[in-house]
Amino acid sequence: MNLMFVFSLMNVEQESWLKSSVLYIAGLLVGTLDTVLDSTSKVAPYRILHHTPDSQVYWSIACGVTKEEIVQHWDWLQQNIMRTLSVFDSSEDITSFVQGKIRGLIAEEGKTSLVLEDDPEKFREALLRFEKWFELPPEEKLVTYYSCSYWKGKVPCQGWLYLSTNFLCFYSYLLGAEVKLVISWDEIWRLEKTTNVILTESIHVLAHGEDHYFSMLLHLNETFVIMEQLADYSIKRLFDKEAFKGEPALSDPLQITKRGLEAHAKSAQFRTFFRLPKEENLLEVHESFLWVPFSHFNTLGKICLSENYLCFASQDGSQCHIIIPMREVKWICEKKKELINNTDCFLYLNLCVGQLKEKMKEQSWNIHFSEYGRGTSMFFTRKTRDLIVRGVPEALRGELWMLFSGAVNDMATHPGYYTELVEQSLGTSTLATDEIERDLHRSLPEHPAFQSDTGISALRRVLTAYAYRNPKIGYCQAMNILTSVLLLYAKEEEAFWLLVAVCERMLPDYFNRRIIGALVDQAVFEDLIRENLPQLVEHMTDLSFFSSVSLSWFLTLFISVLPIESAVNVVDCFFYDGIKAILQLGLAVLDYNMEALISCHDDAEAVTILNKFFDSVTNKDSPLPPTVQQASVGNNDKASHLNVDISELIREAYEKYGNIRLEEVESSRKRNKLCVIQTLEDTTKQNVVSDLKFNASHLDELYNLFKRQHFRSCYWTMQSPALLHHDPSLAYLEQYQLGFQQFSVLFTLLEPWTFCATKSTLSLWVFRLIDENQDGLINFKEFYTLYYGSFTNKLKFLFKLHLPPGDFHIKLAGRGKVDLQAYLKQWQNEILKKEETIKDLPRINQTQFIQFSKTLYNIFHGDPEEESLYRAVAHVTSLLLRMEEVGRRLQEPSSPPDFAKLASPSAAEESSTEEASSTPESSDTSSSHNIQDTGPDIPEVQWSFSFEQVLASLLNEPAIVSFFERPVDIQTKLGQAKVAQLKLKANK
C-alpha cells in the first residue's frame, strides 16, 4: 500500500530500560526542535505519518500524547480516508488527495478564527498553538507572532512570542524545560528597546516588578511598534471608551489585526504631522515630485491622501510641506489673494507707539505669502519656521495660529456649530459652569481686554461651549488662562476651535482631573534632561523637582510664568511645532540657569532662581503699551535683574535642541504613559489600602484579581456594563467595576465558605448587598468587605443577605443620570455618618429566618465538624422558636403550631431549587429574594427575630463560634484564583 502509518515512539513498558532512555532523550531533542522550528505542539509520543514510495519526505498526518488519542485518529482515517484511496491508480494521486484532505480540514477548523493575514496556513497553525499552550478564552484574538529568545536570567530560551489583543505571551520548550509567560498589556509598567553588553538589541518589558527581555528578533522594530500599539490600545480602550469611535479596525476587539494596527498608526502619524481633524484617515501614499515655484525645482516627497485633504511632505519633512483641502481645490488661486481682517479681536494696540521692527516683521510675512502662498494651502518651509522663531506680528497671530494648529479646517467643516453650542449651553448650571464663573476674573486680570464685560462674556461663552461639547473634560484650571490669550488674537469662534485643537489634538489628556498628558510630557522632559543636560543630572540625581516645577509650563504653555508679551511668542512656536517647542524651551531655560541651579542648596532656592529668571524675560519687539508690560512684570526687586529677550531665548532653544524629532517625542510619550498610569494607580491604591484594616499584601493581591476580572469583562466586547458606565473622572479603584456575571465568577473563585448547591442564588444576594448605590455594578471598595470581619461582622453580613435590599440601601439614579452636586453631598454625608450598629438592622421574618438557617447548613456542608455544627444550628433554631412561642403566649394565649420540624437538619438541608436570574435587574428586589419554599405549614401569624437575638443564641454554641473565627487561608485561595482566573471561559 502507498500509505505508510508509523508510530514514532513505542510503549515504554515493552522496551528495555536502555532503549527507553535513548527514546526519552531523542524525544526531548525532537520536542526542542519542534518548538524552535515552528512545530504545532511540544513533542508528541505518537504520530501518524504519510510516506510515498521512492520519496524521502514524510507528511505528518496526526499526533497524540496518549496511545488512545492516536488510535482515535487511526480509526477516523480508516473510516473516512482508507476506503476512498482504492479509487486512485497512482501513488501521486493518493498523496495529492491526502494532502488536500488534511489541508482542507485545517482550513475548515480555522474559519472561526477570522484569520486574514499574509500567510493564512502558517497563521492558523500558530493560532492552534497559541490556543493550546496558553488556554486563554477562545474570544482572545491573536494579532501576530514572532520567533525570538526570552532571557530567563542569563540563559536564553528560544521560542515564540505571541501578541494578542490583550496579552503578551511567550512559549519555549527546551530539553524538557517548559517556559510559559502570559502578561496582560494593562499590567505593563515599561516597554522599551534596550542595548547592553550581553544583548546587543532587545525589547525590555517591566510588569509586576519583574524584568523580561526578548531578543534575536528578525524584525525587532516591527515587533516593538506592534507591542507599543497594543499596549497603548489596551489602555485607551479601558480608560477612554470613545477613543476608537471613528476607527472601525479597532472598535471591535475581535476584529483587530496587525494590518489594522499598522493602518491606525499611519493615520495617527498623518493627522499629527499635518494637524488634521481626528476624523481623517490616511487612504493612500504615493512617492512623487512637487514643483516648488519659489525655488524653481522639483522636490522629492510623498503625497498623502485622505477623504478631505491632499497633503505633500518633502523627503526629510523639513524642507517643505503643504496641505490642500479638497473643498478649496477649485478656487484656491482666489483664496491666496484674500486678506483676513481681525478687527473683532480683543487686542488693544497703541497705534501711536507702533515699532519699526513690528512693521518689518509684517513686511517679511507679506513677502513670504507672496512667494509661498497664504491660507490653508500655504507652503510650510524652513523659512516659515525662521519667521516663527523671530515672532509673529500681532496683526497676523490669529490667522497663523488657526492655520498652524489645523483649527481653520475644523471651523470650515463645522459651520454654525459654535453658535449652536452657545445657544444650547446658555443658562445651564453644572459643576463646570460654577468653576468657570469662579475663574473668569482670574484670567489675565491686568489686561484691559478682561477689565470689561465684553471680554469676560466672550471668555465665558467659549469655556461654557467647550464644556458642553466635551463633558468628559468639562472645565479644568489653566483652560481659562489659555483661552484668554487666544481671545486676544482670534475671533470668538476661532478661539473656540483653537481650544478644541489644543485640548483634543495637540495636548491630549492634559485637561482632565488626572492631567495624565501633562504628567507624561513631564516624564518625557526628564528623559530629555538626562540626555541633553548631564551636568545638571549629576548634581540633581532626583529629577522629580523639575517635574513639579515644569507642570505649569506644560499646562499653560509658559503663559503663567512669563510676562504676557513674551509668552505669546512661545504660543507662536507651540502652534507651529507642537509640544516639541515647549520641551526645547524648557531645556533652554534650564541650560541658561545651569550654573545657578548647580550651586543651589535646596529646592526652594532653585524655585526662586527660576522665578527671577522668568520675570526678567522681556519682548523688545512687543508693541503692547508700557502700562500692560509693567503690570505683567510687577514692581519688585525681581525686575531689576538682567533682562533676557524672549526671541533670543527661543532662537537658542531651536539652535541647541532643534534636533529633537517629533517621532521620538511621540514614542517617548507612549513609553512613559504606561509608567505614569501604573504609578498613579499604585499611589491611589496605596492611599486606600492604608485606610483598610486588612493585610496589605493580601489586599494587594485581591485588588489585582478584582482589576483583572474587570479587564476580562472589557476585553472581548465594547458593550460590557463596566465600559458603558465608565467614568474616567473617578479614582482608579472606583473605575474598576464588575457586573453581576463577572462578580459571580470571581465570587466562585474566592468565596470564604463552601456554599454547596445554592452558589448562584447566594452570589446574587451578596451582589445586591454590597452594591450600595444600586447601579448594577460594584467597585473594589464595595467588594473587599466580603473578606474582612470578626465573628459578629461575618454573622451580620449573612443576616443582611436575607433581608430585602430596600431595608438597608439608599437608592440612587442610574449612573450617568446622577446630579453631581447631589451625589457629592450624599457622599460627604456618608463619610460623616456613624458606623452601622447591630441595633440598626431590621428584624428578620419567618420566611427569611428559615432561609437563613438553610444557608448556615449549606455553609457547614463538607466541614470536618459538620455533624456538631448541624446539631448546634438545630439547637439554636429550636431555642429561638421556643422563645418566640413563649413570647406569643404571654401576649395572646393560644395553641401555636408545631415549628420543631423547621429546626431539624433534614428540613434545613432541603436547599432552595429556585435559581437566581442572570442579572440583578431581572429579580424582584422588593421581596426577600423570592424564597417561597417554606411549605403550607407556615402560619398566618407572623413572627420575627432581631439580630441581637440571633447573635446571642449563636454565641452560646462553641462549635459555631469556632467555625466563624477559624482563620481563612486567604493566601492559598488568592493563589488558586490567580491560576484559575484566565482559564475560565469568557461566557461564564
Side-chain angles (χ1 to χ4, degrees):
M1 178 175 284
N2 293 326
L3 270 173
M4 182 174 69
F5 301 94
V6 180
F7 292 90
S8 58
L9 295 179
M10 301 180 68
N11 194 320
V12 176
E13 295 179 356
Q14 300 174 356
E15 300 294 328
S16 64
W17 180 87
L18 179 60
K19 187 172 182 180
S20 53
S21 300
V22 172
L23 289 175
Y24 174 74
I25 295 172
L28 292 182
L29 292 172
V30 171
T32 299
L33 290 173
D34 281 346
T35 303
V36 175
L37 300 177
D38 198 6
S39 172
T40 57
S41 66
K42 64 182 180 181
V43 59
Y46 303 97
R47 297 189 183 187
I48 300 176
L49 306 177
H50 170 268
H51 177 241
T52 304
D54 303 325
S55 172
Q56 299 299 317
V57 178
Y58 288 79
W59 285 88
S60 179
I61 302 299
C63 61
V65 178
T66 64
K67 185 176 181 180
E68 292 73 16
E69 183 181 356
I70 205 68
V71 168
Q72 288 180 357
H73 292 318
W74 177 260
D75 293 339
W76 187 91
L77 287 169
Q78 285 185 317
Q79 294 176 12
N80 297 276
I81 302 291
M82 301 287 280
R83 297 174 183 177
T84 311
L85 298 182
S86 59
V87 303
F88 297 103
D89 297 327
S90 66
S91 58
E92 288 77 10
D93 292 340
I94 292 176
T95 301
S96 298
F97 170 76
V98 173
Q99 292 176 359
K101 186 69 174 178
I102 299 302
R103 285 174 177 169
L105 290 171
I106 294 174
E108 189 67 27
E109 186 176 355
K111 276 184 179 179
T112 56
S113 303
L114 300 174
V115 177
L116 295 172
E117 298 298 325
D118 295 334
D119 193 338
E121 187 172 348
K122 285 187 177 180
F123 195 86
R124 287 189 191 99
E125 293 177 0
L127 179 62
L128 292 174
R129 296 195 303 274
F130 173 74
E131 293 173 346
K132 180 176 181 179
W133 285 339
F134 303 107
E135 300 179 299
L136 295 171
E139 290 80 359
E140 181 62 17
K141 178 73 168 60
L142 178 63
V143 176
T144 187
Y145 65 102
Y146 300 95
S147 172
C148 72
S149 288
Y150 169 63
W151 290 77
K152 197 172 183 181
K154 295 184 179 181
V155 180
C157 303
Q158 184 65 32
W160 291 90
L161 178 68
Y162 294 88
L163 308 181
S164 66
T165 306
N166 301 294
F167 299 96
L168 179 158
C169 305
F170 176 83
Y171 184 86
S172 172
Y173 185 80
L174 187 65
L175 297 177
E178 184 181 57
V179 177
K180 189 184 295 186
L181 184 70
V182 179
I183 301 174
S184 178
W185 293 115
D186 51 72
E187 297 171 344
I188 293 178
W189 281 66
R190 183 164 289 274
L191 179 64
E192 59 187 350
K193 289 187 288 186
T194 60
T195 301
N196 55 42
V197 178
I198 300 177
L199 303 175
T200 54
E201 198 172 18
S202 63
I203 296 176
H204 171 221
V205 177
L206 174 63
H208 291 302
E210 296 183 4
D211 293 299
H212 307 277
Y213 292 91
F214 302 91
S215 66
M216 300 297 289
L217 285 149
L218 188 61
H219 306 286
L220 187 137
N221 289 330
E222 175 190 301
T223 308
F224 178 75
V225 169
I226 294 293
M227 293 170 72
E228 195 176 53
Q229 285 180 277
L230 286 170
D232 186 58
Y233 162 81
S234 178
I235 289 175
K236 279 186 178 179
R237 187 162 62 89
L238 291 168
F239 292 104
D240 183 5
K241 63 177 183 292
E242 299 175 355
F244 301 110
K245 264 190 174 179
E247 295 288 344
L250 299 181
S251 58
D252 183 359
L254 298 180
Q255 304 298 325
I256 292 179
T257 61
K258 177 183 173 184
R259 197 169 297 147
L261 287 171
E262 290 172 347
H264 176 261
K266 290 177 181 177
S267 292
Q269 188 178 7
F270 167 68
R271 290 190 297 267
T272 300
F273 184 84
F274 293 108
R275 305 284 169 75
L276 297 177
K278 59 184 179 182
E279 295 83 11
E280 294 300 313
N281 288 311
L282 183 62
L283 300 179
E284 294 183 38
V285 178
H286 299 284
E287 227 177 51
S288 67
F289 287 94
L290 175 68
W291 172 253
V292 184
F294 50 84
S295 298
H296 303 288
F297 70 87
N298 288 316
T299 181
L300 177 63
K302 291 182 179 180
I303 288 178
C304 302
L305 290 172
S306 68
E307 290 185 358
N308 300 300
Y309 296 90
L310 183 153
C311 306
F312 175 87
S314 59
Q315 198 165 26
D316 61 356
S318 61
Q319 187 174 354
C320 77
H321 70 271
I322 187 170
I323 304 166
I324 305 175
M326 298 297 187
R327 63 180 184 273
E328 297 186 2
V329 168
K330 293 183 180 179
W331 45 281
I332 190 170
C333 293
E334 296 179 2
K335 184 69 175 178
K336 285 173 65 177
K337 298 178 183 178
E338 284 190 14
L339 294 177
I340 296 179
N341 188 357
N342 255 356
T343 56
D344 291 341
C345 297
F346 298 106
L347 178 61
Y348 287 73
L349 294 176
N350 188 339
L351 299 179
C352 299
V353 195
Q355 297 181 3
L356 179 60
K357 285 187 177 180
E358 183 75 3
K359 293 295 183 182
M360 291 176 63
K361 283 196 288 186
E362 289 184 15
Q363 183 62 25
S364 298
W365 276 97
N366 288 330
I367 295 172
H368 185 82
F369 291 149
S370 66
E371 293 183 1
Y372 299 93
R374 186 171 189 171
T376 53
S377 301
M378 184 179 77
F379 284 90
F380 294 83
T381 68
R382 289 193 181 97
K383 289 186 177 180
T384 311
R385 179 179 278 112
D386 292 340
L387 289 176
I388 292 291
V389 171
R390 288 168 53 188
V392 175
E394 302 282 339
L396 296 177
R397 275 209 167 96
E399 172 189 348
L400 293 178
W401 286 0
M402 289 289 289
L403 178 64
F404 297 151
S405 67
V408 63
N409 294 315
D410 288 318
M411 191 170 77
T413 53
H414 295 84
Y417 177 75
Y418 174 68
T419 304
E420 292 177 6
L421 279 182
V422 171
E423 293 174 355
Q424 292 169 2
S425 61
L426 188 65
T428 57
S429 179
T430 62
L431 194 61
T433 56
D434 291 344
E435 292 176 348
I436 290 171
E437 288 298 326
R438 186 186 63 217
D439 290 346
L440 281 177
H441 295 279
R442 304 176 185 176
S443 310
L444 302 185
E446 76 282 354
H447 201 286
F450 300 100
Q451 293 174 357
S452 67
D453 186 61
T454 305
I456 293 292
S457 297
L459 179 60
R460 177 188 292 111
R461 287 192 294 269
V462 172
L463 291 174
T464 304
Y466 185 78
Y468 191 86
R469 163 191 166 87
N470 194 343
K472 184 178 66 176
I473 292 179
Y475 169 78
C476 296
Q477 286 186 341
M479 288 174 67
N480 61 317
I481 298 175
L482 176 60
T483 308
S484 300
V485 174
L486 298 178
L487 280 168
L488 291 178
Y489 300 97
K491 300 176 185 178
E492 186 176 317
E493 183 177 6
E494 293 174 342
F496 169 78
W497 287 111
L498 284 169
L499 184 62
V500 170
V502 171
C503 294
E504 298 177 14
R505 274 204 311 273
M506 302 186 72
L507 296 178
D509 296 325
Y510 261 62
F511 300 97
N512 55 46
R513 284 173 172 77
R514 296 191 304 272
I515 57 172
I516 288 177
L519 296 177
V520 169
D521 283 344
Q522 284 179 299
V524 174
F525 187 49
E526 286 186 22
D527 290 344
L528 291 173
I529 293 174
R530 292 187 185 92
E531 183 180 343
N532 295 278
L533 302 174
Q535 188 178 356
L536 187 61
V537 175
E538 289 176 8
H539 179 73
M540 303 183 72
T541 53
D542 183 10
L543 298 182
S544 60
F545 162 74
F546 296 111
S547 294
S548 58
V549 169
S550 64
L551 182 60
S552 61
W553 305 357
F554 293 102
L555 283 173
T556 65
L557 307 179
F558 283 91
I559 296 172
S560 63
V561 293
L562 286 174
I564 183 62
E565 71 276 2
S566 300
V568 290
N569 283 39
V570 179
V571 180
D572 294 340
C573 299
F574 168 75
F575 278 125
Y576 190 82
D577 276 322
I579 192 61
K580 175 176 176 285
I582 305 300
L583 294 168
Q584 289 173 180
L585 184 60
L587 291 173
V589 168
L590 298 181
D591 191 10
Y592 192 94
N593 295 276
M594 177 76 74
E595 292 183 7
L597 289 172
I598 289 177
S599 61
C600 66
H601 298 90
D602 53 38
D603 291 351
E605 187 178 349
V607 170
T608 303
I609 290 170
L610 291 174
N611 286 340
K612 286 183 178 180
F613 170 78
F614 285 127
D615 287 336
S616 69
V617 176
T618 62
N619 189 344
K620 297 177 182 178
D621 300 337
S622 175
L624 290 175
T627 53
V628 176
Q629 295 191 50
Q630 289 173 4
S632 299
V633 175
N635 296 319
N636 52 49
D637 59 349
K638 294 180 183 179
S640 63
H641 283 73
L642 183 65
N643 290 337
V644 179
D645 182 50
I646 186 63
S647 297
E648 289 299 315
L649 184 62
I650 291 175
R651 182 185 58 77
E652 187 174 336
Y654 271 89
E655 286 179 355
K656 286 189 174 182
Y657 309 108
N659 60 343
I660 298 173
R661 297 173 64 245
L662 187 59
E663 294 81 2
E664 295 173 354
V665 172
E666 290 299 323
S667 178
S668 183
R669 273 178 161 179
K670 291 178 181 177
R671 181 174 65 252
N672 284 288
K673 186 177 182 179
L674 297 172
C675 185
V676 166
I677 287 180
Q678 299 288 8
T679 302
L680 280 174
E681 181 182 4
D682 197 51
T683 302
T684 307
K685 179 179 64 176
Q686 293 302 324
N687 291 338
V688 175
V689 166
S690 63
D691 296 333
L692 302 179
K693 298 176 181 179
F694 204 86
N695 182 290
S697 62
H698 291 169
L699 190 63
D700 189 65
E701 292 183 37
L702 184 64
Y703 171 78
N704 288 332
L705 283 169
F706 187 90
K707 173 184 171 182
R708 193 175 294 116
Q709 194 68 17
H710 163 84
F711 285 165
R712 279 177 53 82
S713 69
C714 306
Y715 278 158
W716 300 287
T717 176
M718 295 297 287
Q719 302 299 318
S720 69
L723 278 179
L724 293 175
H725 297 280
H726 176 69
D727 184 356
S729 66
L730 298 174
Y732 289 109
L733 269 74
E734 297 179 42
Q735 285 185 41
Y736 302 144
Q737 300 176 103
L738 301 182
F740 171 67
Q741 291 292 344
Q742 288 297 322
F743 166 79
S744 182
V745 172
L746 192 58
F747 181 77
T748 302
L749 293 175
L750 290 172
E751 56 185 354
W753 306 296
T754 305
F755 280 133
C756 196
T758 58
K759 289 182 182 179
S760 59
T761 304
L762 285 171
S763 65
L764 176 60
W765 298 353
V766 171
F767 183 85
R768 283 172 170 167
L769 177 60
I770 63 179
D771 181 17
E772 295 181 355
N773 60 1
Q774 296 281 284
D775 63 352
L777 294 166
I778 63 167
N779 58 41
F780 182 70
K781 282 184 177 180
E782 296 169 328
F783 177 77
Y784 93 95
T785 55
L786 278 174
Y787 301 95
Y788 167 75
S790 61
F791 168 76
T792 302
N793 287 336
K794 291 176 181 177
L795 192 63
K796 184 170 68 173
F797 184 85
L798 288 172
F799 185 87
K800 289 169 67 174
L801 281 182
H802 298 81
L803 296 173
D807 287 352
F808 48 82
H809 276 151
I810 300 174
K811 295 185 179 180
L812 281 175
R815 184 158 293 174
K817 303 289 186 182
V818 179
D819 183 277
L820 284 176
Q821 292 180 338
Y823 180 80
L824 290 173
K825 185 177 180 181
Q826 178 177 338
W827 177 72
Q828 185 177 16
N829 292 336
E830 288 178 354
I831 293 176
L832 298 176
K833 72 180 181 181
K834 65 186 181 71
E835 186 178 353
E836 180 186 66
T837 65
I838 59 176
K839 293 183 179 180
D840 297 326
L841 296 173
R843 296 174 69 87
I844 191 169
N845 65 31
Q846 59 192 40
T847 303
Q848 296 159 357
F849 177 74
I850 292 170
Q851 186 57 42
F852 174 76
S853 301
K854 290 182 177 181
T855 300
L856 288 178
Y857 282 113
N858 286 322
I859 288 175
F860 302 148
H861 179 72
D863 191 87
E865 304 296 328
E866 179 179 4
E867 186 176 346
S868 60
L869 289 167
Y870 280 176
R871 284 198 299 268
V873 173
H875 182 263
V876 168
T877 52
S878 299
L879 177 63
L880 287 170
L881 289 171
R882 284 197 295 272
M883 289 170 57
E884 176 62 26
E885 180 182 344
V886 171
R888 208 168 45 252
R889 281 178 177 176
L890 291 174
Q891 295 180 1
E892 183 182 346
S894 63
S895 178
D898 182 13
F899 294 138
K901 61 180 181 179
L902 295 176
S904 66
S906 60
E909 287 174 353
E910 296 173 2
S911 60
S912 172
T913 57
E914 180 185 0
E915 288 294 329
S917 58
S918 60
T919 60
E921 292 77 14
S922 62
S923 301
D924 181 11
T925 58
S926 63
S927 67
S928 56
H929 313 301
N930 292 329
I931 302 299
Q932 304 292 338
D933 58 353
T934 56
D937 296 321
I938 296 299
E940 294 183 2
V941 179
Q942 291 294 311
W943 45 266
S944 62
F945 298 114
S946 68
F947 177 72
E948 291 170 290
Q949 290 175 300
V950 175
L951 176 62
S953 301
L954 290 175
L955 282 172
N956 289 323
E957 298 295 333
I960 294 178
V961 174
S962 175
F963 174 86
F964 281 105
E965 289 186 342
R966 187 187 306 162
V968 178
D969 188 2
I970 193 168
Q971 183 65 47
T972 302
K973 277 188 173 292
L974 290 170
Q976 293 171 346
K978 182 178 180 181
V979 173
Q981 192 175 41
L982 283 178
K983 295 185 179 181
L984 294 171
K985 301 302 180 185
N987 58 358
K988 282 191 178 180

